[in-house]
Amino acid sequence: MEIRAQVLAAGLGTRLRPLTHEIPKPMVPVLDRPVMAHIVDHLRRAGIQDIVANLHYFPDTIRDYFGDAIEYVEEEELSGTAGGVRRCREFFGDGTFLVFSGDALTDIDIERFLAAHRANGGVATIAAKQVADTQEYGVIVHDAQGRISAFQEKPHPDEALSDLANTCIYLFEPEIFDYFPDTAFVDFANDVFPALLAHDVPFHVHDIGDEYWNDVGSLVELKQGTFDAITGGLDLRAEGDEIEPGLVLGDGTSFAGVELVEPPVWIGRDVTIGKHVRLQGPLVIGDEAVIGDGACLKDAVVFPGTELPAGSILISGIAGHVGITENLRRPGT
């Protein structure tokens, strides 16, 4: 696919604290690798090879993980969602380009998205997803042809004019930069999109329908997105052998001595599991984790490299540790 893409990776991820006191939001683990690695993999499978990321918070964590597989533009001061894109303007050249939120767990059909954008003929197309609770998202109002006419910021469901949430996944033509204000900090929702409306510039919505999207906006959403990846709600590529329905086991991991397993359970590679352990799904245990004798886990996520002592009980929670990036599966491994 001959377009270029940017992954927005500069944000602070405050709603995922305390996890994001340790790592940037795009590096939060989902199964066997960070969210951003799943995004890059998804872009590559769509044929997009040229990718740039804007960095600010823990920039070396992202740069050290991806190496020279992608390009980087670092922001000393945050410049907003659109400001971060403007910093990468030279990278995009003169063609259509894709902007992808760095916290998006999604299996969006990029080819279908691009076809809709080109059919619309506008300067921008916003990927949108129907949601049940509009209070967490900016929603999009559009006409019968999909042309955007207004936005609402996190309306109560009873007052919402639309249930289509902005996923912060965009396709743009280079002319989009003509509608950026001449300020250091620029936001798409508050600055650029209102300018398009004010100048009567056509731009459109693309409803992704049944395709999956989760913005990993909170610890609850992170856990739900992880479980969706093991139950089929999200089409996510992850390694491991399904040894029975709903039970996936990575290389170098054994169930010897485990007392109870109730799927869905996904366990990564080289995990050490003690004797008399009870595992009740939905449950995800990341690479190189250590589960002590007699531990009981249910409705939980154990991040890669995390150790749970003997006799631990973990229910409806997330377990992690300092230095988690050392245990994240690297690209190509």
Side-chain angles (χ1 to χ4, degrees), residues 1-70:
M1 187 175 292
E2 294 184 2
I3 65 171
R4 294 190 162 202
Q6 177 176 358
V7 179
L8 299 174
L12 304 181
T14 54
R15 288 192 293 157
L16 284 176
R17 289 174 179 170
L19 181 58
T20 47
H21 284 309
E22 167 72 10
I23 56 176
K25 187 176 181 182
M27 295 299 289
V28 170
V30 173
L31 300 187
D32 58 357
R33 65 202 71 195
V35 171
M36 185 169 162
H38 289 299
I39 292 171
V40 171
D41 288 347
H42 191 61
L43 294 174
R44 298 280 196 231
R45 288 195 298 273
I48 299 174
Q49 302 302 320
D50 297 315
I51 302 170
V52 67
N54 62 316
L55 309 179
H56 171 72
Y57 186 61
F58 288 122
D60 290 341
T61 302
I62 295 174
R63 202 162 18 223
D64 291 348
Y65 181 88
F66 289 98
D68 60 4
I70 62 177

Side-chain angles (χ1 to χ4, degrees), residues 275-296:
K275 298 178 180 179
H276 309 299
V277 169
R278 295 181 174 91
L279 306 174
Q280 296 176 267
L283 176 65
V284 166
I285 303 175
D287 295 351
E288 301 174 352
V290 177
I291 311 299
D293 293 346
C296 299

